[in-house]
Amino acid sequence: MGIATLDLNNGQTIPQLGFGVYQIEPEGTADAVRQALEVGYRHIDTAQMYGNEAGVGRGIRDAGVDREDVFITSKLNNGFHAPEDARVAFDLTLSELGTDHVDLFLIHWPLPTLYDGDFVATWKTLEEFYRAGRARSIGVSNFQVNHLRRLAQEADVVPAVNQIEVHPYLLNSEVRAYGAEHGIATEAWSPIAQGGVLADPAITTVADRLGRTAAQVVLRWHVQRGDIIFPKSTTPSRIQENFELFDFELTQEDMAAVSALDRGEEGRTGPNPDVFDYVPA
Ligand SMILES: NC(=O)c1ccc[n+]([C@@H]2O[C@H](COP(=O)([O-])OP(=O)(O)OC[C@H]3O[C@@H](n4cnc5c(N)ncnc54)[C@H](OP(=O)(O)O)[C@@H]3O)[C@@H](O)[C@H]2O)c1
């Protein structure tokens, strides 16, 4: 069955399911991306910080899939928030990927404690890329509600997406609700918490009843909540498994049982965006 496509706030569309390439070695990326495209994925989520954009571009060409048929997202590296640096970094993203545009370009982290907290200047630089058609959509990642409010007050373009950590142990409900109210689609990163939620009895019970895997149940839960996901795997059988989400459904009770696992901040596996200030050397 086909993958659902969602409308973004600027008239562009995005496949709800994609393939994430965080922590895939640069040498292995082309192969993983080619495999994912052969399975049927048409949306790849990479970032400058992952160091594997060139592999993404190569994987797409190796698969023989038309560039126009693949939705590519990349993200600005933390050391490049100053507008003049962001412009150079964005040019490099396009040349590494071997394309004249990305479908979506994000500020990877808000870094409110760096750059005088001026992520608005960075955002206005992404607006340039958008207006020039070199990023068909622009968005943010790891932005908290107060960061989104500042953009709403000080910038012109509303982010198309906010890519944040969301899985059954961290529902991130406040940030998600702000997005829903303001037309900002939520992209849920680490959708299975890098495997950390898969042994939970509340999830395995549903999986056993439906004859599905725990990963499929959790990924389906995201899909029914309306979020965009891109699970990562370098295991061929899992790349296939994670793609098979559109031929079954969870009941309201199943959805509620998975959502009840929320641990709030305790469930966060990644850094807290309010204080995260890592800049790669
Ligand atoms: N914006 C951000 O700050 C940010 C942060 C983190 C992630 N992301 C994005 O979100 C994507 C997904 O997040 P993630 O890579 O952190 O974690 P994830 O997709 O939640 O989990 C990936 C891990 O789970 C394993 N796995 C995948 N499918 C499985 C299955 N069906 N059954 C059992 N285990 C399975 C993978 O192992 P194998 O590979 O060994 O199969 C890998 O270790 C990333 O690739 C990246 O694109 C963004």
Side-chain angles (χ1 to χ4, degrees):
M1 256 194 227
I3 298 174
T5 295
L6 302 184
D7 295 327
L8 299 174
N9 63 13
N10 60 357
Q12 299 286 327
T13 58
I14 184 170
Q16 191 178 10
L17 173 65
F19 183 69
V21 298
Y22 176 45
Q23 291 174 331
I24 303 186
E25 293 301 320
E27 318 76 68
T29 301
D31 208 34
V33 166
R34 183 191 45 76
Q35 283 179 51
L37 292 166
E38 283 170 4
V39 165
Y41 293 82
R42 289 293 180 271
H43 166 184
I44 310 292
D45 185 271
T46 183
Q48 294 171 353
M49 224 186 299
Y50 305 167
N52 57 18
E53 290 171 308
V56 169
R58 202 170 338 111
I60 294 170
R61 290 188 293 280
D62 289 352
V65 175
D66 268 1
R67 164 70 190 92
E68 283 304 318
D69 293 336
V70 186
F71 189 103
I72 307 176
T73 300
S74 193
K75 318 183 189 88
L76 181 68
N77 204 341
N78 287 352
F80 296 81
H81 274 216
E84 60 276 20
D85 295 337
R87 291 182 194 111
V88 173
F90 183 67
D91 287 349
L92 191 58
T93 275
L94 296 185
S95 70
E96 290 282 298
L97 287 165
T99 180
D100 62 358
H101 72 280
V102 285
D103 297 279
L104 179 62
F105 195 66
L106 310 180
I107 299 180
H108 205 150
W109 290 89
L111 306 178
T113 63
L114 301 179
Y115 301 102
D116 297 323
D118 192 7
F119 48 77
V120 178
T122 311
W123 178 251
K124 289 185 174 174
T125 313
L126 266 64
E127 289 182 345
E128 292 172 12
F129 308 154
Y130 177 57
R131 292 201 178 95
R134 300 201 303 151
R136 298 240 166 115
S137 299
I138 51 174
V140 293
S141 179
N142 301 299
F143 271 46
Q144 304 279 52
V145 169
N146 67 93
H147 306 138
L148 295 169
R149 286 214 173 99
R150 262 191 71 194
L151 289 189
Q153 281 159 6
E154 299 177 39
D156 294 330
V157 178
V158 178
V161 311
N162 186 17
Q163 182 177 132
I164 54 174
E165 182 179 348
V166 183
H167 46 70
Y169 291 163
L170 177 68
L171 296 196
N172 224 335
S173 300
E174 216 188 309
V175 183
R176 221 173 144 265
Y178 181 95
E181 278 162 32
H182 295 84
I184 303 168
T186 294
E187 297 193 322
W189 65 249
S190 289
I192 56 172
Q194 300 201 336
V197 296
L198 300 183
D200 196 292
I203 293 167
T204 55
T205 303
V206 176
D208 291 347
R209 198 189 79 242
L210 295 175
R212 294 285 174 156
T213 67
Q216 287 174 323
V217 166
V218 175
L219 296 171
R220 178 69 205 180
W221 169 84
H222 284 284
V223 166
Q224 287 184 215
R225 281 156 53 89
D227 289 354
I228 297 156
I229 48 170
F230 23 81
K232 171 265 175 187
S233 179
T234 45
T235 311
S237 61
R238 290 172 172 172
I239 296 176
Q240 178 70 44
E241 174 186 332
N242 296 346
F243 190 73
E244 292 169 1
L245 307 180
F246 294 93
D247 59 349
F248 73 107
E249 253 184 86
L250 303 184
T251 64
Q252 283 309 314
E253 291 74 28
D254 296 336
M255 292 295 294
V258 178
S259 299
L261 298 174
D262 187 21
R263 298 175 179 174
E265 279 303 309
E266 297 284 302
R268 196 184 281 284
T269 64
N272 185 321
D274 285 321
V275 294
F276 187 60
D277 62 358
Y278 170 71
V279 174

